[in-house]
Amino acid sequence: MNHEYELLERITVSANIFGGKPIIRNMRIAVEHVLAKLAAGDTAEIILNEYPELQPEDIQACLLFAHRSVA
């Protein structure tokens, strides 16, 4: 299976969570929240420490999702 496809499978949408905004693995963590933290200067390590349920691949998936959204 394609690595990018596997990463993007981590991004889900549920109409019942955050009004259908993209989230990570059906958790109540929005992609936009992770991207905002990265844009504000937080490192992946900081985010992973704040949200221990996240995995490094989740952050990669957020970045790939953002890239695909603007490409």
Side-chain angles (χ1 to χ4, degrees):
M1 194 177 286
N2 181 331
H3 181 66
E4 285 189 359
Y5 178 78
E6 289 176 4
L7 285 174
L8 290 174
E9 279 190 324
R10 292 172 170 272
I11 307 301
T12 56
V13 175
S14 172
N16 299 325
I17 302 174
F18 297 139
K21 290 183 177 186
I23 55 176
I24 302 168
R25 293 186 290 126
N26 290 317
M27 296 185 285
R28 297 189 67 83
I29 302 173
V31 169
E32 70 179 287
H33 181 70
V34 172
L35 293 172
K37 292 185 80 50
L38 290 168
D42 286 354
T43 64
E45 292 77 23
I46 290 171
I47 296 169
L48 292 171
N49 284 331
E50 288 179 6
Y51 299 92
E53 62 273 26
L54 290 181
Q55 300 170 351
E57 293 83 3
D58 295 324
I59 295 173
Q60 245 187 312
C62 289
L63 291 169
L64 179 58
F65 182 84
H67 169 74
R68 290 279 183 96
S69 295
V70 298

